[in-house]
Amino acid sequence: MSAAAAPSTKKKNPWTPMAAGCIAGGIEATAVWPMEFIKTQLQLQSKTKGTALPYNGMLSGLSYYVRTTGFISLYRGLAPTLIGSIPKAGIRFGLNAIIKDSLRDSEGKLTPGKNFLAGLGAGVAEAVIIVAPVETVKTKCIELNMPFLGGFRHILATEGVNGVYQGAAATALKQGSNQGLRFMWFNEYKRIITNDGENKLTPLMGLFGGMSAGCFSTIGNNPFDVVKTRMQGTKASQYTSTLDCFKKIIANEGVGALYAGVLPRLGRVVPGQGIIFMSFETIVQNLETFPIFQ
């Protein structure tokens, strides 16, 4: 590898990945929201004995809601998610870049473990600042079939401000592990595909890398996502803690329940991460042509 292609030890402008992340986050959230809607509904439906689900998968779920509540209902909860997705993705990509820069060795290189830690830190930060309150409102809006403002007022009236941060610990656990696995996979993929930066990452390469990272992270941390969703639902009072939620799901519904919604989640996350990583890499390359982002 030539000296020019060696990893740079110069720290990059953190505003560049932050701005690119904001734009990419909005694009990704809008593109795949119906899959997130069905995934959340499947996870909220407890599979205890005697309880019959009106649908059992992504396609049947989409069909059910279009027939019973209309196509627009598939976008219930999108407003708070869009409001949160833009700054959330900005924090995620921006903070990930800052942490990575602080973890690089003297040659500017990062190990898979360090990439995981950078993603973990960024994931926990976005969970505490943005994801926990937005996801709680989104989950309850979907479960109650209410619009964002109506659902938000309902939460404040019935549970107070604390209700907005319900399940924050489970959210941080889910989001931290999610981003840690995702960034670790994508950065290793990018390193291999570009031959340590010698070759440019094309949009198609970015799309495939993001999709594979989304698949890897989803399979790796779906149990945390199920627990997070249950802890943010309207029936969360039956659980005393995140650990208690884990135990009760396994005891009452079996280990398989921790993978409830994994297929529709894959259907939403895999293309979503392909879109966001492809968009992010392309937007960064374009932003870096402007002096302010260099």
Side-chain angles (χ1 to χ4, degrees):
M1 184 172 68
S2 64
S8 173
T9 57
K10 179 183 177 181
K11 292 186 178 181
K12 295 183 177 181
N13 184 346
W15 292 108
T16 304
M18 187 173 292
C22 286
I23 300 169
I27 294 172
E28 181 265 344
T30 303
V32 297
W33 178 252
M35 299 301 101
E36 175 68 15
F37 178 88
I38 297 301
K39 183 270 297 185
T40 302
Q41 287 285 21
L42 284 170
Q43 291 178 341
L44 286 171
Q45 300 288 345
S46 175
K47 293 185 178 181
T48 52
K49 293 181 179 180
T51 302
L53 294 172
Y55 50 88
N56 56 15
M58 182 175 64
L59 293 179
S60 60
L62 288 170
S63 175
Y64 173 81
Y65 282 101
V66 169
R67 289 196 323 269
T68 58
T69 55
F71 177 77
I72 298 300
S73 70
L74 291 174
Y75 284 88
R76 189 78 74 183
L78 175 60
T81 297
L82 267 182
I83 293 170
S85 289
I86 293 176
K88 177 181 75 173
I91 292 170
R92 180 195 314 155
F93 283 99
L95 189 56
N96 177 255
I98 292 172
I99 298 174
K100 284 199 303 182
D101 278 340
S102 68
L103 293 176
R104 293 184 190 277
D105 61 21
S106 60
E107 296 180 352
K109 295 181 179 180
L110 289 163
T111 64
K114 288 182 177 179
N115 274 317
F116 176 80
L117 287 176
L120 178 69
V124 170
E126 69 169 310
V128 174
I129 299 170
I130 300 291
V131 180
V134 170
E135 285 285 302
T136 297
V137 175
K138 178 212 73 174
T139 299
K140 291 182 179 180
C141 283
I142 290 175
E143 190 173 8
L144 297 170
N145 195 28
M146 298 177 69
F148 171 54
L149 291 179
F152 185 66
R153 286 195 293 265
H154 175 80
I155 293 171
L156 290 179
T158 59
E159 304 173 57
V161 177
N162 288 338
V164 178
Y165 276 90
Q166 190 174 336
T171 302
L173 186 64
K174 176 255 182 177
Q175 203 69 12
S177 62
N178 202 26
Q179 300 307 332
L181 293 171
R182 196 168 289 168
F183 276 109
M184 179 181 70
W185 178 283
F186 185 82
N187 284 314
E188 280 301 294
Y189 164 87
K190 182 179 178 181
R191 181 186 64 79
I192 294 169
I193 291 295
T194 63
N195 194 20
D196 278 335
E198 283 191 1
N199 305 314
K200 184 178 179 180
L201 187 74
T202 65
L204 184 60
M205 290 177 180
L207 176 67
F208 183 76
M211 291 176 69
S212 60
C215 183
F216 177 70
S217 63
T218 298
I219 293 173
N221 89 326
N222 198 77
F224 297 125
D225 191 50
V226 171
V227 170
K228 184 269 300 181
T229 301
R230 294 287 184 91
M231 290 295 290
Q232 291 175 328
T234 56
K235 298 177 182 179
S237 59
Q238 64 184 295
Y239 309 116
T240 59
S241 66
T242 299
L243 181 60
D244 181 60
C245 184
F246 264 113
K247 290 180 178 179
K248 285 183 177 177
I249 290 175
I250 294 173
N252 298 330
E253 304 171 54
V255 176
L258 292 174
Y259 278 87
V262 68
L263 290 180
R265 188 178 174 216
L266 281 169
R268 177 252 188 270
V269 171
V270 171
Q273 290 308 300
I275 291 170
I276 197 169
F277 274 103
M278 177 184 68
S279 300
F280 174 78
E281 293 291 333
T282 303
I283 294 167
V284 165
Q285 291 173 12
N286 284 277
L287 288 179
E288 287 180 339
T289 62
F290 297 95
I292 191 174
F293 290 112
Q294 292 176 357

